[in-house]
């Protein structure tokens, strides 16, 4: 095969302004502006572009469109490396670096091609079977052997390699609204856009190619295209090139990906790389065209074999004559125009016509052109030359009464195939619109939903350009009153197509490819049938037919036809796999857009964030929140820091940021009734100026959340929730008030961000507070008793204070208006210097609550009942509350349910970790009887302690020896099961 | 992507909303018997076709909505506020 640039009137010789250069595997070549990568390579007679996925067979350019299965390349370098780029559709930019893929050491001499000769072992399902083990002893079965072989398999099989570096570019999201979206800018798409715009509608036309025109571009006469373009501009139609409609979604929403024109490459840092455009259209017109098919014969993947229409594209769009000795094999009328054009361009052309007769008009057209026509013949095998990998001769067959018969050899260096056309119905398939097999034209067609999605032109199975354009015009003859009826006239050739999917002769052996990109052969399809994978969806998954980046645009129908043949039924009975988005591969970066890192997972900072960081806090993520974890002094570790913090707090005073707790203001005349229904315990009796700890259940009776609720005024409560459940509690309360109890007059507002919360805990907490508040009398034991709530002023700022304790010490929670939180915290901390004091973080907070047996989300994990956590007495018997009925279900009240307990190691110097299991001694196997939820070193007790659950709780476990087992860390300890209230069980310190 | 016409905020993307559940459930009184609570919490129709479901406009006005939607075609037929009085008010103001 020798492809070269031609020079004639249509394609004048190169002028320097049009000349661009590129690098193919680091070697410099020249091409013309406007070339695709494939055109640039072909113009330089570079025919072997890549190596195939499985067998490492040499592959060249097979098409001039998105169906490309051979010419996949990697472009760019470093972090901007893009693998698996279709050379046939990507614009060649000046200075572009292009590399071949899946070949070592070079694409011409690839070591991996040895796999080609072992091909018979690598049939469909090879890996499934191989790693099931080899009989008779199932040698090699199991994960380990797979893990070993996997690296070699992954290395040998595959496509290009992507960069491991972070993506330096950014991507934009865009929302577009339009009356009519036209997808595809070929003859019918342009006409549809023009007709739509003439009705006064807002029209957007998108084209995946880098210029508009579609099949107009492949024609010698471009006058009509120029006229239509002018009309589009005049009518103000928006045109987006470089834009692929990759998916059709509900409510005629279309996903578009726009690749930013490459001229901008040099200032890429300032421009997004791609735009993900979510387009909402009232109507979508699919003018997506059709893709020319090939058929299966031996070695139908050799470089130098491509579809007829692509040779036409290279000739008329890029001015490249693909070869001077061309054979065309066709079963339909569409190939003849190309044959004549190729002949006129100076090639020797032979047509092998599958049909035994063609129409008179066609005959007249080619007579006298010097084209050699052989009726009733086809190609059975292609063979490569002695010293190159491209095609050099073919074995031809002729039709007899008994089928195909070998008819000799023909020399050629390029073979063009046309075995029919497949309308691009992918987008219609995304929405599951009906798809039918059109027997007459041997293709699948769809009419959309005939309501808001329509197909026109060759996408609707219409072959003649004039009729395609008419079908677009016709669409706009209908208005809302007349129901649209799709035209049933399809096809339009002089003589019908002779369906052809495979030519096979028993005497000629070799590989015939169905899906060249995934190296699926005809024998793989037969094997799938033989092994029972006869549904198209199963066949697809077993053979990987149609699963590569081209998504079966070329091979799908051949596979379906072969399966129909094997099953002895019709193609319509076999059906088609449902296409799924994306139509062509798209980058994940575009879908993510700017929603990356902290723009995806937001960071919530408390009002004390700056203060904490100024004071050397190490932060930890708690949901979206950043909370102080511990405050190391000098080079202190986490362990020594939290032990110090907890010790100082219990001895004197500690200060902790608790702002992340959910805070919900509840107001209105029915507030008390509402709160009373939410919580299991009674809030009727809660006086103004008091707080109460409450538990709320889900409808199904399990514990939902806990927290304190403060009665600030008669009809005003401040509810606190756990950090984890803040938003789900809010949502639930809103649901109850709006959906179920709309008769209650209650307003709720989230005020989490409005207040900075800090806990001041320890025996000296009141002494510290009295130096801060404007009127120290207000916080005396009499004025603010345990669980008391009031408003106090600090530096004239009104704050809410409650005497509540999570640590078990004399403690206060102060809520300061967020704007003042930082400065008041600085005041508190400066006054705290007079005491032995510390700031404590989440770790020390956890330590102290575990010592006290207070539960958090580690224990309330959605699977525990109020009895399980030992708070059954908080479920009121005298009122109704959410979850009150279902919590009494038999299985939830069983005495053997796991219950909250404390855990001490028998040997006090031992430590252990969360997640360990609890078993009876001597019964380490089988189902455990308990588990550990929270572990800490207790400074107050001087050894490691834990909270956990164990079947039957303290009562049923009495007298049994319990072993804590952590198989993963090989820790096995004898433990004592104790009350969860491990420190100061009487609570005497609270009242200090 | 679905678009839901919130009575307060207008037609908005589905991503602004969160799905609630079956909108046709009538929850029993808090003191009703176990069976009726069991049925309300656990039994669902799994409708093929039109169903009424609750959604919350969580990234908007936070209203709970009753949305009539076809589970097959995803077509939305009506959107109302779940709070009856609010819905009446909205209709009156039209």
């Amino acid at each position: 095969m020798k492809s070269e640039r031609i020079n004639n009137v249509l394609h004048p010789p190169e002028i320097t302004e049009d000349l661009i250069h590129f690098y193919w595997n680091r070697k410099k070549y020249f091409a013309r502006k406007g070339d695709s990568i494939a055109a640039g390579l072909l113009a330089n007679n570079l025919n072997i572009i890549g190596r195939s996925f499985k067998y490492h067979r040499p592959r060249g350019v097979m098409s001039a469109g998105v169906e490309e299965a051979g010419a996949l390349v990697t472009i760019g370098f470093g972090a901007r490396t893009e693998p698996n780029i279709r050379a046939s559709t990507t614009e060649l930019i000046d200075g572009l670096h292009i590399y071949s893929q899946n070949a070592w050491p070079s694409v011409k001499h690839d070591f991996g091609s040895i796999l080609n000769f072992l091909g018979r072992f690598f049939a469909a399902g090879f890996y499934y079977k191989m790693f099931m083990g080899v009989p008779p002893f199932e040698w090699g079965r199991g994960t380990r052997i797979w893990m070993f072989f996997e690296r070699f398999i992954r290395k040998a099989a595959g496509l290009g390699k992507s960069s491991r570096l972070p993506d330096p570019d950014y991507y934009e999201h865009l929302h577009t609204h339009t009356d009519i979206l036209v997808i595809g800018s070929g003859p019918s798409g342009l006409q549809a856009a023009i007709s739509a715009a003439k009705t006064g509608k807002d029209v957007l036309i998108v084209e995946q190619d880098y210029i508009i025109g579609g099949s107009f571009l492949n024609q010698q006469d471009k006058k009509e295209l120029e006229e239509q373009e002018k009309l589009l501009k005049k009518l103000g139609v928006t045109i987006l090139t470089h834009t692929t409609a990759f998916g059709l979604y509900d409510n005629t929403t279309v996903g578009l990906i726009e690749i930013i024109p490459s001229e901008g490459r040099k200032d890429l840092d300032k421009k997004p790389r791609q735009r993900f455009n979510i387009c909402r259209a009232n109507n979508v017109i699919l003018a997506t065209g059709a893709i020319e098919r090939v058929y299966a014969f031996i070695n139908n993947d050799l470089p130098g074999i491509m579809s007829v229409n692509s040779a036409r594209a290279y000739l008329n769009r890029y001015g490249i004559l693909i070869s001077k000795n061309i054979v065309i094999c066709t079963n339909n009328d569409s190939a003849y125009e190309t044959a004549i054009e190729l002949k006129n361009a100076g090639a020797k052309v032979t047509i092998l016509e599958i049909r035994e007769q063609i129409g008179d008009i066609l005959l007249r057209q080619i007579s006298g052109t010097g084209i050699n026509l052989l009726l009733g013949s086809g190609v059975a095998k292609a063979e490569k030359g002695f010293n190159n990998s491209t095609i050099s001769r073919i074995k031809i067959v002729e039709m007899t009464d008994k089928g195909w018969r070998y008819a000799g050899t023909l020399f050629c260096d390029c073979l063009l195939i046309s075995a029919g056309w497949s309308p691009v119905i992918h987008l219609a398939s995304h929405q599951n619109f009906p798809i039918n097999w059109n027997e007459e034209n041997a293709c699948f067609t769809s009419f959309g939903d005939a309501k808001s999605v329509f197909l026109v032109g060759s996408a609707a199975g219409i072959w003649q350009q004039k009729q395609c354009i008419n079908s677009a015009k016709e669409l706009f003859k209908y208005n809302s009153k007349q129901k649209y009826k799709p035209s049933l006239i399809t096809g339009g050739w002089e003589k019908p197509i002779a369906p052809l999917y495979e030519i096979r002769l028993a005497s000629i052996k070799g590989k015939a490819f169905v899906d060249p990109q995934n190296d699926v052969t005809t024998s793989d399809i037969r094997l799938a049938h033989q092994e029972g994978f006869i549904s198209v969806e199963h066949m697809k998954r077993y053979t990987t037919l149609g699963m590569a980046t081209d998504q079966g645009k070329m091979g799908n129908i051949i596979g379906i036809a072969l399966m129909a043949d094997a099953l002895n039924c019709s193609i319509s009975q076999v059906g088609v796999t449902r296409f799924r988005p994306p139509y062509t591969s798209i980058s994940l970066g575009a879908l993510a857009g700017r929603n990356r890192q902290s723009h995806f997972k937001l960071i919530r900072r408390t009002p004390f964030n700056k203060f904490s960081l100024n004071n050397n806090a190490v932060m930890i993520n708690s949901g979206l929140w950043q909370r102080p974890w511990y405050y190391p002094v000098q080079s202190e570790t986490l362990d020594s820091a939290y032990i110090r913090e907890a010790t100082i707090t219990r001895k004197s005073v500690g200060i902790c940021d608790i702002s992340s707790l959910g805070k919900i203001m509840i107001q209105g005349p029915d507030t008390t009734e509402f709160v009373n229904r939410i919580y299991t315990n009674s809030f009727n009796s809660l006086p103004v100026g008091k707080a109460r700890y409450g538990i709320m259940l889900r409808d199904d009776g399990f514990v939902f959340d806990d927290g304190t609720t403060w009665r600030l005024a008669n009809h005003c409560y401040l509810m606190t929730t756990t950090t984890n459940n803040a938003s789900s509690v809010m949502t639930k309360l809103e649901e109850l008030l709006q959906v179920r109890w709309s008769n209650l007059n209650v307003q709720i507002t989230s005020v989490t961000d409005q207040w900075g919360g800090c806990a001041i805990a320890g025996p000296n907490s009141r002494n510290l507070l009295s130096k801060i508040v404007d009127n120290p009398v207000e916080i005396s034991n009499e004025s603010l008793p345990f669980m008391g709530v009031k408003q106090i002023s600090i530096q004239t700022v009104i704050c809410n204070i409650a005497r509540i304790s999570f640590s078990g010490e004399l403690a206060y929670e102060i809520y300061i208006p967020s704007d003042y939180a930082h400065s008041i915290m600085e005041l508190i901390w400066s006054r705290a210097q007079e005491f032995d004091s510390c700031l404590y973080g989440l770790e020390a907070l956890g330590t102290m609550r575990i010592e006290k047996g207070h539960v958090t989300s580690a224990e309330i994990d959605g699977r525990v009942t109020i009895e399980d956590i030992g708070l059954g007495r908080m479920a009121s018997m005298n009122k109704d509350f959410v979850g009150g009925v279902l919590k009494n279900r038999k299985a939830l009240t069983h005495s053997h349910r796991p219950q909250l307990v404390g855990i001490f190691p028998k040997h006090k110097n031992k430590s252990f970790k969360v997640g360990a299991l609890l078993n009876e001694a001597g019964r380490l196997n089988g189902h455990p009887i308990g588990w550990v939820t929270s572990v800490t070193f207790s400074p107050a007790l001087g050894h490691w302690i834990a909270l956990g659950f164990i079947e039957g709780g303290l009562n049923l476990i009495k007298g049994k020896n319990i072993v804590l087992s952590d198989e993963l860390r090989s820790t096995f300890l004898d433990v004592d099961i104790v009350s969860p209230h491990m420190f100061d069980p009487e609570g005497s310190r609270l009242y200090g | 992507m679905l678009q839901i016409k919130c009575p307060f905020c207008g037609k908005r993307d589905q991503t602004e909303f969160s799905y609630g559940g079956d909108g046709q459930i009538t929850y029993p009184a808090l003191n009703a018997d176990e069976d009726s609570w069991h049925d309300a919490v656990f039994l669902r129709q799994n409708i093929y076709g039109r169903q009424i479901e609750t959604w919350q406009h969580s990234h908007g006005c936070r209203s709970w909505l009753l949305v009539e939607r076809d589970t097959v075609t995803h077509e939305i037929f009506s959107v109302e506020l779940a709070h009856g009085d609010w819905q009446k008010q909205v209709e009156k103001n039209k």
Side-chain angles (χ1 to χ4, degrees):
Chain A
M1 177 180 177
K2 190 169 184 307
S3 51
E4 61 186 356
R5 196 80 75 171
I6 51 164
N7 297 316
N8 58 22
V9 192
L10 286 167
H11 299 282
E14 265 128 22
I15 43 168
T16 28
E17 291 96 90
D18 276 356
L19 210 63
I20 54 171
H21 73 284
F22 67 95
Y23 299 89
W24 168 242
N25 289 328
R26 297 193 176 78
K27 206 173 152 204
K28 191 170 176 176
Y29 293 95
F30 291 92
R32 270 187 208 170
K33 213 170 173 180
D35 275 352
S36 68
I37 292 175
L41 293 169
L42 286 172
N44 289 285
N45 197 29
L46 297 164
N47 310 314
I48 302 166
I49 314 294
R51 288 277 170 167
S52 75
F53 183 75
K54 201 155 94 175
Y55 302 123
H56 288 251
R57 290 164 69 100
R59 293 282 163 80
V61 177
M62 292 177 165
S63 77
V66 286
E67 69 273 28
E68 183 59 41
L72 298 180
V73 295
T74 297
I75 61 169
F77 47 86
R80 291 209 165 94
T81 304
E82 273 188 272
N84 310 329
I85 292 292
R86 284 181 302 275
S88 52
T89 57
T90 309
E91 189 175 6
L92 187 56
I93 320 147
D94 199 19
L96 190 68
H97 284 259
I98 312 162
Y99 304 93
S100 53
Q101 299 185 160
N102 203 27
W104 182 87
S106 83
V107 72
K108 277 195 175 158
H109 308 280
D110 175 32
F111 187 71
S113 61
I114 193 164
L115 289 167
N116 187 30
F117 300 103
L118 303 173
R120 50 184 293 207
F121 298 108
F122 290 99
F126 167 73
Y127 296 119
Y128 302 134
K129 290 170 197 157
M130 181 66 206
F131 294 98
M132 289 290 285
V134 178
F137 303 114
E138 297 192 349
W139 177 87
R141 184 176 184 151
T143 319
R144 191 178 298 184
I145 196 102
W146 163 249
M147 301 287 261
F148 175 75
F149 280 112
E150 190 192 12
R151 344 175 212 168
F152 301 105
I153 294 164
R154 294 239 182 264
K155 208 179 160 81
L159 300 159
K161 284 187 182 61
S162 57
S163 165
R164 297 268 169 175
L165 300 167
D167 193 337
D169 296 317
Y170 67 91
Y171 302 81
E172 292 278 10
H173 282 186
L174 203 68
H175 292 258
T176 306
H177 299 261
T178 183
D179 291 330
I180 293 173
L181 170 69
V182 180
I183 299 168
S185 69
S188 18
L190 292 181
Q191 184 58 50
I194 288 164
S195 301
K198 278 183 178 163
T199 64
K201 302 268 194 206
D202 185 18
V203 182
L204 170 67
I205 181 163
V206 296
E207 171 56 54
Q208 63 194 0
D209 207 333
Y210 46 92
I211 46 175
I212 64 164
S215 67
F216 270 142
L217 296 171
N218 303 340
Q219 295 166 9
Q220 288 184 339
D221 183 6
K222 300 208 165 58
K223 239 191 238 137
E224 204 173 345
L225 170 61
E226 282 156 17
E227 276 165 22
Q228 297 283 63
E229 269 193 89
K230 265 187 222 147
L231 211 46
L232 276 182
K233 283 210 182 95
K234 209 175 113 199
L235 290 163
V237 172
T238 314
I239 304 167
L240 281 179
T241 53
H242 300 84
T243 304
T244 303
F246 67 82
L248 179 60
Y249 300 92
D250 291 330
N251 295 1
T252 50
T253 305
V254 183
L256 307 174
I257 289 280
E258 182 185 359
I259 316 256
I260 306 297
S262 37
E263 284 82 4
R265 272 283 146 101
K266 283 184 185 92
D267 59 349
L268 243 187
D269 293 343
K270 296 187 196 91
K271 276 186 175 177
R273 178 107 163 225
Q274 295 183 4
R275 287 195 192 100
F276 172 26
N277 195 332
I278 301 159
C279 179
R280 290 207 171 70
N282 295 331
N283 287 293
V284 175
I285 297 170
L286 301 177
T288 42
I291 291 174
E292 196 171 23
R293 291 198 299 266
V294 296
Y295 70 95
F297 56 91
I298 308 297
N299 295 338
N300 60 345
D301 65 326
L302 277 185
I305 302 177
M306 61 173 80
S307 62
V308 174
N309 191 53
S310 45
R312 191 178 190 206
Y314 289 114
L315 180 68
N316 294 332
R317 180 170 171 183
Y318 303 107
I320 295 165
L321 182 58
I322 218 75
S323 157
K324 288 218 159 123
N325 186 6
I326 298 172
V327 171
I328 293 176
C329 180
T330 184
N331 64 345
N332 64 75
D333 289 2
S334 72
Y336 286 80
E337 204 169 350
T338 309
I340 296 165
E341 287 170 1
L342 288 168
K343 178 73 196 174
N344 290 342
K348 179 180 162 228
V349 180
T350 305
I351 297 179
L352 304 178
E353 172 59 75
I354 301 291
R355 298 173 290 183
E356 283 170 286
Q357 246 196 329
I358 59 168
D360 293 338
I361 304 173
L362 270 193
L363 260 181
R364 245 176 283 135
Q365 272 173 4
I366 62 160
S367 67
T369 55
I371 293 171
N372 189 14
L373 175 66
L374 297 175
L375 289 170
S377 25
V379 183
K381 184 179 183 179
E383 287 173 348
K384 70 182 188 69
F386 290 109
N387 50 7
N388 60 42
S389 302
T390 57
I391 186 169
S392 77
R393 55 186 182 169
I394 52 176
K395 285 195 165 144
I396 57 174
V397 288
E398 57 187 20
M399 188 52 103
T400 66
D401 301 341
K402 290 175 209 144
W404 294 110
R405 186 183 63 190
Y406 176 61
T409 304
L410 199 64
F411 286 89
C412 68
D413 58 9
C414 174
L415 175 61
L416 305 178
I417 309 284
S418 178
W421 291 78
S422 303
V424 177
I425 49 168
H426 294 64
L427 289 156
S429 178
H430 292 172
Q431 277 297 294
N432 213 10
F433 296 146
I435 287 169
N436 299 305
W437 177 250
N438 183 321
E439 198 73 52
E440 189 196 333
N441 292 296
C443 65
F444 284 104
T445 53
S446 171
F447 296 115
D449 64 352
K451 220 163 76 190
S452 51
V453 179
F454 308 92
L455 285 92
V456 295
S458 53
I462 303 166
W463 303 142
Q464 300 292 359
Q465 182 163 313
K466 229 182 179 153
Q467 274 137 32
C468 286
I469 293 173
N470 275 342
S471 74
K473 279 184 187 161
E474 241 171 59
L475 194 57
F476 293 92
K477 286 189 188 150
Y478 298 89
N479 54 36
S480 54
K481 280 171 203 152
Q482 282 171 286
K483 202 170 179 285
Y484 170 72
K485 263 195 252 127
S487 159
L488 293 175
I489 306 153
T490 53
W493 284 324
E494 196 185 352
K495 283 252 165 160
I497 184 171
L500 174 71
Y501 308 100
E502 185 189 19
I503 290 183
R504 185 163 64 126
L505 258 72
S507 56
I508 303 176
K509 296 214 162 25
K511 286 192 187 71
F513 288 88
V514 176
D515 178 347
Q517 202 182 118
N518 257 355
D519 276 357
V520 179
T521 63
T522 50
S523 55
D524 288 328
I525 305 291
R526 296 204 172 85
L527 187 69
H529 167 257
Q530 196 181 317
E531 300 191 350
F533 297 95
I534 53 171
S535 139
V536 271
E537 298 285 357
H538 289 161
M539 172 184 80
K540 171 178 173 175
R541 279 144 189 92
Y542 190 61
T543 61
T544 71
L545 166 66
M547 286 164 79
T549 62
D550 71 331
Q551 287 286 294
K553 290 182 184 70
M554 259 187 169
N556 242 17
I557 291 188
I558 308 176
I560 292 164
L562 294 184
M563 184 55 80
D565 179 50
L567 290 169
N568 215 354
C569 64
S570 72
I571 290 178
S572 61
Q573 279 168 302
V574 174
V576 64
T577 53
R578 184 169 170 189
F579 295 110
R580 288 167 212 284
Y583 174 62
T584 51
S585 40
I586 54 176
S587 55
L588 291 174
L591 295 184
R594 300 238 182 173
N595 303 323
R596 300 169 63 196
Q597 294 161 350
S598 63
H599 290 275
F600 176 66
K601 191 186 176 197
L602 306 178
I603 297 172
R604 293 184 83 178
R605 296 188 175 88
T606 76
F608 303 124
N609 187 268
K610 200 172 146 202
F611 171 83
S612 299
L613 292 174
N614 288 347
N615 285 281
N616 205 27
V618 176
M619 307 302 270
I620 188 170
N621 291 330
S622 164
L624 297 179
W625 287 101
Q626 284 215 318
R627 297 178 69 181
W629 189 7
Y630 59 103
Y631 296 84
V633 174
Q634 285 150 1
S635 59
E636 232 177 0
T637 61
L638 165 66
D639 284 352
S640 43
Y642 85 77
I643 290 168
R644 173 182 52 76
E645 289 165 15
T647 309
I648 293 175
T649 304
R650 290 232 188 273
K651 204 172 81 192
S652 177
V653 64
I655 300 157
C656 182
D657 177 3
I658 54 161
S659 308
S660 64
L661 292 182
K663 296 176 275 290
I664 299 169
M665 199 61 96
I666 307 173
Q667 289 157 312
D670 297 324
T671 300
T672 303
E673 170 64 16
F674 177 60
V675 174
N676 214 34
R677 288 188 198 176
I678 299 296
Y679 283 121
T680 61
N681 46 335
S682 172
F683 274 73
N684 269 339
S685 51
L686 183 70
V688 173
K690 276 283 198 178
R692 186 162 284 173
Y693 173 71
I695 298 237
M696 57 178 90
L697 307 185
R698 302 191 307 228
D699 284 323
D700 62 4
F702 288 94
V703 177
F704 178 26
D705 198 55
D706 69 343
T708 57
T709 288
W710 312 3
R711 190 165 194 179
L712 302 180
N714 199 18
H715 295 316
C716 176
Y717 292 78
L718 176 67
M719 171 186 281
T720 67
T721 73
T722 60
T723 302
N724 277 358
N725 283 332
S727 78
S728 44
V729 169
M730 183 72 192
T731 300
K732 183 74 195 172
L733 299 188
E734 284 166 334
E735 186 189 2
L736 290 172
L737 283 171
Q738 293 180 36
V739 184
R740 280 197 225 169
W741 302 335
S742 54
N743 56 330
L744 288 188
N745 196 351
V746 175
Q747 278 302 318
I748 58 173
T749 317
S750 167
V751 293
T752 305
D753 292 323
Q754 276 65 31
W755 301 94
C758 93
I760 300 180
N764 273 327
S765 55
R766 188 187 293 127
N767 300 335
L768 170 57
L769 263 183
S770 63
K771 291 181 187 297
I772 297 158
V773 297
D774 295 347
N775 182 5
V777 179
E778 292 207 84
I779 56 151
S780 67
N781 195 31
E782 295 69 37
S783 175
L784 189 61
F786 182 58
M787 294 311 265
V789 173
K790 68 174 24 163
Q791 292 198 325
I792 49 158
S793 91
I794 301 175
Q795 302 283 308
T796 72
V797 176
I798 304 298
C799 305
N800 284 304
I801 185 167
R803 189 175 149 190
I804 47 184
S805 174
F806 197 46
S807 58
E809 299 297 320
L810 170 68
Y812 300 84
E813 285 181 8
I814 309 173
Y815 286 162
I816 308 160
S818 287
D819 290 348
Y820 296 97
H822 178 79
S823 52
I824 287 181
M825 186 55 128
E826 285 198 320
L827 171 77
I828 296 171
W829 184 228
S830 71
R831 295 285 155 81
Q833 303 309 311
E834 298 167 29
F835 304 88
D836 186 13
S837 62
C838 71
L839 299 169
Y840 68 92
L842 201 56
E843 197 69 20
L845 179 88
T847 296
M848 290 188 279
R849 71 99 190 163
I850 295 169
E851 288 175 333
K852 288 293 293 175
H854 290 158
V855 289
T856 64
S857 53
E859 286 76 33
I860 307 177
D861 63 355
R863 298 177 299 175
V864 298
T865 66
I866 193 164
E867 277 86 7
D868 295 344
I869 53 170
L871 298 173
R873 65 195 146 74
M874 283 183 63
S876 170
M877 308 291 276
N878 307 319
K879 62 149 195 172
D880 304 315
F881 53 88
V882 174
V885 175
L886 291 184
K887 89 172 183 46
N888 295 329
R889 280 179 289 164
K890 212 170 160 192
L892 299 190
T893 48
H894 200 280
S895 63
H896 285 272
R897 281 186 66 81
Q899 286 172 22
L900 185 72
V901 290
I903 300 159
F904 287 174
K906 270 211 162 70
H907 297 283
K908 293 290 185 281
N909 57 346
K910 298 278 190 196
S911 74
F912 49 95
K913 294 235 157 73
V914 162
L917 302 176
L918 302 172
N919 293 290
E920 255 184 85
R923 284 193 198 170
L924 289 189
N925 291 330
H927 201 276
I929 58 168
W931 64 92
V932 177
T933 54
S934 311
V935 175
T936 185
F937 179 82
S938 164
L941 298 169
H943 59 84
W944 287 81
I945 59 169
L947 287 174
F949 289 86
I950 198 159
E951 282 175 16
L954 259 187
N955 289 337
L956 286 186
I957 222 71
K958 240 174 222 157
K960 287 179 183 159
N961 288 328
I962 302 299
V963 174
L964 177 148
S965 62
D966 187 345
E967 298 268 0
L968 291 176
R969 300 185 183 87
S970 299
T971 309
F972 300 93
L973 296 179
D974 291 327
V975 291
D976 287 325
I977 301 300
V978 298
S979 154
H981 311 293
M982 291 172 276
F983 175 69
D984 185 28
E986 306 80 29
S988 56
R989 301 174 70 90
L990 285 173
Y991 301 96
Chain B
M1 192 196 295
L2 295 180
Q3 283 188 303
I4 298 172
K5 196 174 173 189
C6 171
F8 288 140
C9 312
K11 211 172 194 183
R12 313 293 302 172
D13 275 0
Q14 174 196 338
T15 48
E16 290 185 10
F17 298 81
S18 27
Y19 180 74
D22 192 332
Q24 271 157 319
I25 303 283
T26 323
Y27 283 88
L30 289 177
N31 60 357
D33 58 77
E34 192 179 307
D35 283 348
S36 40
W37 267 104
H38 173 273
D39 293 355
V41 171
F42 296 109
L43 298 191
R44 292 292 178 270
Q45 291 286 329
N46 198 15
I47 290 166
Y48 182 92
R50 281 188 184 208
Q51 76 171 12
I52 294 180
E53 49 200 28
T54 59
W55 289 73
Q56 189 189 21
H57 195 190
S58 33
H59 294 287
C61 60
R62 294 196 67 84
S63 300
W64 277 89
L65 309 169
L66 292 176
V67 176
E68 190 182 6
R69 185 180 68 101
D70 192 309
T71 58
V72 184
T73 64
H74 297 176
E75 191 179 347
I76 289 172
F77 304 100
S78 69
V79 183
E80 284 188 4
L81 295 164
H83 196 293
D85 294 346
W86 298 358
Q87 176 62 25
K88 270 180 217 146
Q89 197 64 42
V90 164
E91 277 164 20
K92 223 164 96 189
N93 290 349
K94 253 180 200 164

